[in-house]
Amino acid sequence: MIRREAPGKLFLAGEYAVLQPGHPAVVVAVNRCVTVTVTDASSAETTFTSDFGGGTQLRCLRREGILMPESGHTPDNFRYVLSATNIVERLVAEAGGQPTPFAATTSGADLTDGAGHKLGLGSSAAITVATVSALADLYRLRLGRSERYRLAMLATVGVDPRASGGDVAAATWGGWVAYRSPDRAHIAELATTGTVAETVRADWPGLSVRPLPTPHRLSLLVGWTGKPASTSALTRRTGPGHASIRAHPRFLAETTACVERIVRALDADDVTRVQHEIRRARRLLDDLDDMADLGIRTPELDTLCAAADLAGAAAKPSGAGGGDCGIAVIDRTRPAQASALIDRWSAAGITHIPLRVYRHPDSSEDHPF
């Protein structure tokens, strides 16, 4: 039996801008994880079982080297695990290996509220990264982090061509990550015209991943609005037929500068400067929402941020907005401020989610926010 896990994520800053190749974001991996377990198959079928959607199973057969559902339909909760499997097995076949039937079970209850509602912590990316890691072990592939990220990113783009991959990077590296997205159209074309191995080795224009030092003075509080949101649905609204992020060069330029200042502040463990830039990042998202009507802001997120302002913290939505989570940055040396904010959130119906920074087992131990 092979068991691998991958963490969820939170965006600190850079949402929407990071959708454009080469533009930066800061993401952090959190200790709410997806686990993928792979065992030998008892038949010629490959089966996937998921606890997302109440516990369902997908039976697949290989047709011309590609795993396909017996029913001909792939349910939403299996799209990423199936895409990741086909990418890894293409790589195995290119090297002369023989894909084998197996049984995979995906467990992601950690990334829900206990009632099955996703918290917006990047479950799809975590599933994809954990699947790549588990199957790499199954097929005895020796892959570094960069190779695992690239395989997971190819699988992600196969499902959602607009995905920035910031959540994939956080799930792969763990900890705090400064990230710039690759040109996904370019890598999708590479995967279509060449082999998976060639695509993984190729230059990916725009891509940059840099692990950041863990800030020791910064405390990050996470609040859940109780309103799940769809990141893919929100980001699709920035594409053709609606306002494109490219149509707002000021947002791109100012967000890029803001994120770069946040990275420098994190490097210096300067919590006051991080707070200042988080407030700026929130205003930039508000301005974008006003211009493009994307639905980033919600009454619940506004309430979350307003409560943080009253407590002296710096807050903003995390991720695509439209619901899900918000974050608040507080100086760790002021624990009373954190307690006051949690109380304000509770009174306003915002659920505080206690989280820690996730580091992979081959890294140092996880560190509290």
Side-chain angles (χ1 to χ4, degrees):
M1 181 178 72
I2 298 168
R3 182 180 181 274
R4 294 293 175 265
E5 70 176 18
K9 65 82 183 75
L10 288 165
F11 269 89
L12 188 69
E15 301 93 336
Y16 286 97
V18 75
L19 292 170
Q20 298 303 312
H23 288 270
V26 174
V27 289
V28 57
V30 299
N31 66 333
R32 294 287 189 102
C33 297
V34 163
T35 299
V36 173
T37 303
V38 174
T39 57
D40 292 334
S42 58
S43 68
E45 295 178 326
T46 288
T47 60
F48 299 97
T49 304
S50 171
D51 66 357
F52 287 106
T56 53
Q57 189 175 82
L58 183 71
R59 298 180 181 276
C60 298
L61 293 172
R62 288 179 179 80
R63 298 186 176 98
E64 298 181 359
I66 299 174
L67 268 180
M68 300 183 67
E70 284 184 332
S71 66
H73 170 69
T74 305
D76 287 348
N77 56 322
F78 290 106
R79 291 187 301 161
Y80 287 91
V81 67
L82 187 57
S83 182
T85 299
N86 277 319
I87 285 292
V88 173
E89 290 194 344
R90 275 182 59 190
L91 183 66
V92 170
E94 288 168 6
Q98 183 65 43
T100 183
F102 60 86
T105 300
T106 301
S107 177
D110 251 10
L111 274 68
T112 70
D113 67 346
H117 301 117
K118 293 182 181 180
L119 298 173
L121 298 177
S123 57
S124 297
I127 287 169
T128 308
V129 170
T131 300
V132 167
S133 295
L135 294 184
D137 283 359
L138 176 69
Y139 290 116
R140 294 184 170 84
L141 304 176
R142 301 180 65 179
L143 302 175
R145 289 204 196 282
S146 180
E147 293 164 312
R148 280 184 274 136
Y149 159 81
R150 289 180 177 228
L151 290 171
M153 194 61 193
L154 286 172
T156 299
V157 169
V159 176
D160 182 5
R162 287 193 56 78
S164 72
D167 48 3
V168 177
T172 302
W173 272 272
W176 297 75
V177 177
Y179 176 78
R180 293 177 187 258
S181 62
D183 184 333
R184 279 86 75 203
H186 176 73
I187 63 176
E189 182 179 358
L190 287 175
T192 300
T193 58
T195 66
V196 171
E198 290 168 343
T199 303
V200 167
R201 291 193 300 265
D203 178 49
W204 284 21
L207 174 64
S208 174
V209 182
R210 180 166 79 86
L212 298 172
T214 298
H216 294 283
R217 284 194 59 199
L218 182 151
S219 182
L220 193 63
L221 297 185
V222 183
W224 188 55
T225 64
K227 180 181 177 182
S230 170
T231 297
S232 60
L234 284 159
T235 57
R236 276 198 299 272
R237 298 188 69 191
T238 67
H242 201 82
S244 170
I245 297 299
R246 289 189 298 274
H248 302 291
R250 177 174 165 270
F251 169 78
L252 280 173
E254 293 191 7
T255 298
T256 294
C258 176
V259 173
E260 289 174 345
R261 288 191 294 268
I262 287 174
V263 169
R264 291 195 293 271
L266 289 171
D267 281 334
D269 202 14
D270 186 342
V271 64
T272 300
R273 177 56 59 182
V274 173
Q275 288 177 319
H276 178 76
E277 297 301 335
I278 288 297
R279 294 186 183 102
R280 188 190 303 269
R282 175 181 159 196
R283 290 195 297 271
L284 289 169
L285 284 174
D286 287 348
D287 290 345
L288 177 66
D289 209 9
D290 289 341
M291 290 185 293
D293 189 27
L294 297 174
I296 299 170
R297 295 177 62 178
T298 67
E300 294 84 0
L301 285 170
D302 284 348
T303 297
L304 182 153
C305 292
D309 291 341
L310 290 172
K316 60 178 285 296
S318 177
D324 285 337
C325 294
I327 57 168
V329 175
I330 292 180
D331 190 323
R332 187 184 300 281
T333 64
R334 303 180 66 185
Q337 190 180 61
S339 296
L341 176 52
I342 292 170
D343 288 343
R344 287 182 183 274
W345 277 352
S346 179
I350 304 296
T351 302
H352 170 239
I353 306 174
L355 295 173
R356 297 170 68 91
V357 176
Y358 177 96
R359 295 193 178 279
H360 285 286
D362 56 355
S363 302
S364 59
E365 293 183 0
D366 62 351
H367 185 85
F369 281 139

